[in-house]
Amino acid sequence: MTAWPLARALSPLPEESLPGLLLRLAYRTERSPARIARLCGLIHRQNRLPGEYLFSLPADRIRPFASAARLNAQEANALTLSPFAAVYPPLASARTDGSRNTTAVRKSWAASMFSRYCAACLSGDGSPVQTLYGGPWKLRWHLPVSYACLTHRTLLSHTCPNCGGTPNRPTNTERQGLITHRTTTGLHPAQCRRLLPDGHGAPAAPCAARLDHDRRAEPLSEADMALMFALQHRIDQHLMPVRSDADAGHVGSDPSFFPDLIIAAHLIRLSWPDSAPYTTSTSMADLIDGHVSSAVTPRRTPEPARRTPTVWDAPEVPAECAAVLLAADNLLGREERDDAGMTERVRPLAASAFSRHPANTGAALRRMHVSPSMARALLGRAQGFYRAGGHRHARQSLPSRESCFQIGHVPALLPQEWLSAHFGDLLSHWTHLTDWRMRHLRRVATLKLAEMSGGGTWPDCAKALDIPWNTAQQSLTVIRQELNSRELWPEFERSVESVAIHMDQHTDRVHYGRRRELLSTWQIPADDWTELCCGLPRFRQGATSPSRDTATVLIWTQVTQGDHLHSPSLGAMRESSCSTEGLVGSINQLRTPVNRKGSKRELLLRIDTYSHLLAAACDRTAASLQAGSPPPRAGNLLRGAVERKALPRITLVAESFSLREGDGDKAE
């Protein structure tokens, strides 16, 4: 496609938009915008001037347009919103093409096809060119977050002062295009292009009112205006493009500023009037109230060119938009952005919004890539845990608190000493506490610790801790019934928080995740089992007598602080369809308090000592693997470490029952 240079061209004005330049070129050449667009190679099939050209120009259109308008490619792209995509995330995720309307773009706050405007800017700066053809229609006026002109210290306008129409909004019968009524000629770039019927059967004629003569009085107080201008100033700073790596640390490089602000604006509207405390004055509250009412109540006599706004659309009226954004900024904590405090403020409004609106409201809000604090606040909670259902973004791994420990430092069962040290108050209110319920409590506590450090829902946490899903669900069911019946959930959360603080303060944390990985295929060497039993009376060879497999499971349980029922040995037996009844019975017999006497008690003491040495060896192996070469595949780590003599084999001297480290013999 080729295009001849226009006989009379114009240089783009600062921040000028593509439709603004086409309007000025059309007025100068006394042609229609459609004709200028055709000469510039911008007319699409079906004789359209597509609205998506406002967002970016297709590669095959840039060269002919730049050639006809006497521009280079960079100047041509600068007439579109594409330069803002790097600093305004909604634009980067906006999808527009020839078969898609702009509804999704409006709902995501990416941009508006109609343009707000500043009358003083449209009247020009007094230069000869701007005196003749007007000032620029600025690109940022298409962004929903631009509601004020800081140069002239005024709110933008969005309707014609004569007919009340919105600039560049098509009628219901016209497909959304870059310029409305593009075939109309003779209009100044600052004149209203809306067609008005005369009521006598004659063809409709343009309104033609001069938008640059619009001088409307501001209905708000100076204090409210000052707050609006201050927020607009910060918004404009974040809209400044990052031109180099040296600019990466400037105020506009925060990728979550706009997503957080837009999500907060949604929450202000969806939870209204619960969010009224975040408004700065009665006037601002009235503006939001009027906007919310219009978004949910259809107009009685809607004009053909107007549509009923929805609760997802950005407010069109600049003053209403400013009021909503200012309340949203207050909700977020203004400049401080106190993450912990922001979560406390946002969560009640999120719960209110989700309860009043359809079930997909929460999922819609979580689609944006917001800050971790905002994401945590948006995730619904059910009895102390994140909900498992919802949109895929509801299941992203977001720690529920800032923790120094990692999910790998969390065991599958809370150690008994931690339970005694931090759950005393909770247990004092718990009657009929059995070992069975205690084990469920220890498991639920570790699920909560995993959520604190690694994030995700309880099924995600259970998977990370190698706890079967159905087991985790059963434990949650039991503990929820117990805690709800006694209203002990707050006490449970305080107890778990106490454990988390303890783990934060201690730097010598055990990495139980690596221990589980190292021992995933481990079995006590036959020689070590023989030495463990050396000097003890022979056990009866019954189905529940202690065996090498019994010792393997008990040692794995102590080293990993896991549940013996979920040990690799029992798991392998289940997978091979072997009965686990004998092994489970043997473990239970050995651990039953009444049986802890004589040779069984001595065997348990030896297993306990062996477990401590094996745990230390696992930690040394994990540290050496982390500092050295990449570790071998999971399941063979301990065996490989022994073969490389990185982990000495643990042997027993029966006569004195002293434990010593051997010479690195290969473990079975």
Side-chain angles (χ1 to χ4, degrees):
M1 180 185 298
T2 59
W4 295 98
L6 297 174
R8 289 177 287 178
L10 287 170
S11 298
L13 300 175
E15 296 191 55
E16 186 169 27
S17 65
L18 177 59
L21 178 62
L22 293 178
L23 288 174
R24 290 198 307 126
L25 286 172
Y27 185 67
R28 186 185 187 195
T29 58
E30 299 180 355
R31 298 291 187 272
S32 70
R35 178 58 180 165
I36 295 299
R38 182 172 295 281
L39 293 175
C40 291
L42 296 178
I43 291 296
H44 199 261
R45 58 180 179 272
Q46 300 175 348
N47 202 33
R48 291 184 59 235
L49 180 55
E52 53 264 28
Y53 286 179
L54 175 66
F55 296 87
S56 63
L57 285 172
D60 61 339
R61 304 281 175 170
I62 294 178
R63 171 178 268 180
F65 168 64
S67 176
R70 302 174 186 267
L71 307 173
N72 57 43
Q74 183 177 2
E75 290 173 326
N77 282 319
L79 293 167
T80 69
L81 290 170
S82 57
F84 287 104
V87 292
Y88 189 62
L91 271 178
S93 59
R95 295 184 301 165
T96 56
D97 53 52
S99 61
R100 182 181 294 273
N101 60 31
T102 57
T103 300
V105 176
R106 290 194 305 268
K107 289 183 178 180
S108 65
W109 284 50
S112 299
M113 291 307 303
F114 79 89
S115 176
R116 294 169 179 160
Y117 65 92
C118 169
C121 290
L122 289 183
S123 64
D125 60 2
S127 64
V129 172
Q130 295 195 30
T131 299
L132 288 174
Y133 309 118
W137 282 90
K138 295 186 178 181
L139 274 170
R140 67 176 63 235
W141 293 344
H142 288 275
L143 299 179
V145 293
S146 291
Y147 55 80
C149 174
L150 298 181
T151 303
H152 299 102
R153 304 292 290 182
T154 182
L155 291 177
L156 300 179
S157 300
H158 76 296
T159 56
C160 171
N162 180 50
C163 67
T166 303
N168 205 40
R169 170 170 290 164
T171 63
N172 289 346
T173 58
E174 182 179 359
R175 192 173 185 180
Q176 183 72 71
L178 192 66
I179 298 175
T180 187
H181 305 303
R182 60 191 179 276
T183 59
T184 303
T185 60
L187 291 179
H188 186 276
Q191 283 184 287
C192 177
R193 305 183 66 83
R194 185 184 178 201
L195 298 181
L196 297 178
D198 64 355
H200 300 288
C207 169
R210 292 292 291 255
L211 303 178
D212 54 350
H213 296 166
D214 182 17
R215 296 292 189 272
R216 305 181 189 182
E218 304 295 354
L220 302 172
S221 66
E222 292 185 4
D224 288 338
M225 295 297 294
L227 291 174
M228 289 181 173
F229 292 149
L231 177 57
Q232 185 67 74
H233 176 69
R234 287 198 290 119
I235 288 174
D236 288 349
Q237 285 185 310
H238 282 84
L239 287 175
M240 293 174 58
V242 179
R243 303 183 185 278
S244 64
D245 293 339
D247 297 334
H250 85 295
V251 68
S253 61
D254 181 4
S256 63
F257 176 82
F258 286 113
D260 278 7
L261 187 64
I262 293 170
I263 290 295
H266 282 311
L267 290 175
I268 292 293
R269 299 187 300 172
L270 293 171
S271 63
W272 188 261
D274 293 353
S275 55
Y278 295 101
T279 58
T280 56
S281 67
T282 304
S283 300
M284 305 293 266
D286 291 341
L287 286 170
I288 299 177
D289 191 66
H291 164 68
V292 172
S293 299
S294 66
V296 298
T297 305
R299 297 183 178 93
R300 293 182 180 179
T301 56
E303 299 182 25
R306 295 191 177 185
R307 60 180 175 82
T308 301
T310 71
V311 294
W312 297 107
D313 292 355
E316 292 184 359
V317 181
E320 294 178 355
C321 183
V324 170
L325 289 176
L326 193 57
D329 192 50
N330 290 333
L331 174 62
L332 296 176
R334 305 190 68 177
E335 293 90 341
E336 298 85 11
R337 289 293 189 268
D338 177 15
D339 288 349
M342 185 183 77
T343 303
E344 293 178 1
R345 293 188 296 272
V346 167
R347 182 162 288 161
L349 297 188
S352 176
F354 299 163
S355 64
R356 297 181 187 179
H357 296 276
N360 63 346
T361 298
L365 292 178
R366 288 189 287 267
R367 289 190 181 102
M368 299 184 72
H369 295 284
V370 296
S371 66
S373 294
M374 176 61 78
R376 279 193 290 268
L378 292 175
L379 289 176
R381 298 182 69 191
Q383 296 178 324
F385 285 84
Y386 291 152
R387 290 195 182 99
H391 190 267
R392 60 187 176 87
H393 289 278
R395 297 193 292 270
Q396 55 187 324
S397 295
L398 293 165
S400 59
R401 73 188 289 272
E402 296 294 334
S403 303
C404 297
F405 63 94
Q406 302 173 2
I407 195 170
H409 297 124
V410 180
L413 283 177
L414 196 73
Q416 189 65 46
E417 55 269 25
W418 292 5
L419 191 73
S420 302
H422 302 280
F423 283 75
D425 292 340
L426 173 64
L427 297 178
S428 65
H429 296 92
W430 198 330
T431 58
H432 307 296
L433 184 62
T434 63
D435 290 341
W436 179 73
R437 287 188 175 90
M438 185 78 77
R439 186 164 61 179
H440 286 307
L441 178 62
R442 294 170 61 193
R443 184 176 293 122
V444 172
T446 59
L447 290 176
K448 187 62 182 176
L449 288 171
E451 181 197 87
M452 288 177 168
S453 57
T457 59
W458 67 259
D460 300 326
C461 298
K463 182 178 181 180
L465 299 179
D466 294 332
I467 300 175
W469 184 90
N470 57 341
T471 302
Q473 185 185 45
Q474 182 187 16
S475 294
L476 281 169
T477 300
V478 171
I479 297 304
R480 281 171 173 165
Q481 289 175 350
E482 294 288 342
L483 297 184
N484 287 337
S485 63
R486 297 173 175 84
E487 298 183 352
L488 291 176
W489 266 113
E491 186 61 46
F492 170 80
E493 293 190 350
R494 282 192 293 270
S495 299
V496 178
E497 178 65 23
S498 177
V499 176
I501 293 173
H502 170 79
M503 296 179 69
D504 284 339
Q505 294 173 346
H506 288 74
T507 57
D508 55 340
R509 308 179 191 96
V510 174
H511 202 297
Y512 292 100
R514 291 200 185 101
R515 286 187 179 183
R516 289 192 294 268
E517 188 177 15
L518 284 167
L519 299 182
S520 60
T521 59
W522 178 84
Q523 188 178 24
I524 186 172
D527 292 345
D528 284 1
W529 168 242
T530 300
E531 293 184 24
L532 276 175
C533 298
C534 186
L536 299 177
R538 292 191 60 182
F539 299 107
R540 291 178 299 175
Q541 300 303 311
T544 60
S545 296
S547 64
R548 181 183 173 193
D549 289 335
T550 305
T552 298
V553 173
L554 290 175
I555 293 169
W556 177 90
T557 299
Q558 292 192 46
V559 173
T560 65
Q561 288 296 311
D563 191 327
H564 70 278
L565 295 177
H566 306 147
S567 63
S569 298
L570 286 170
M573 294 178 68
R574 295 187 188 99
E575 290 181 0
S576 60
S577 300
C578 295
S579 174
T580 61
E581 182 178 357
L583 180 55
V584 172
S586 173
I587 295 169
N588 291 337
Q589 281 284 334
L590 201 59
R591 297 178 69 181
T592 302
V594 71
N595 293 328
R596 293 178 186 174
K597 55 187 177 181
S599 58
K600 289 185 178 180
R601 179 177 180 275
E602 181 64 24
L603 179 61
L604 284 174
L605 290 174
R606 297 183 181 187
I607 287 176
D608 184 66
T609 305
Y610 188 99
S611 300
H612 284 299
L613 277 181
L614 181 61
C618 286
D619 294 340
R620 289 197 304 272
T621 301
S624 63
L625 289 173
Q626 186 178 19
S629 58
R633 295 180 59 184
N636 297 320
L637 289 176
L638 189 65
R639 186 185 299 273
V642 172
E643 290 174 351
R644 297 191 307 274
K645 298 187 178 181
L647 175 62
R649 184 182 135 198
I650 301 167
T651 59
L652 289 161
V653 177
E655 292 78 4
S656 60
F657 191 62
S658 62
L659 289 162
R660 58 184 173 82
E661 296 179 354
D663 57 358
D665 296 338
K666 182 177 178 181
E668 293 184 9

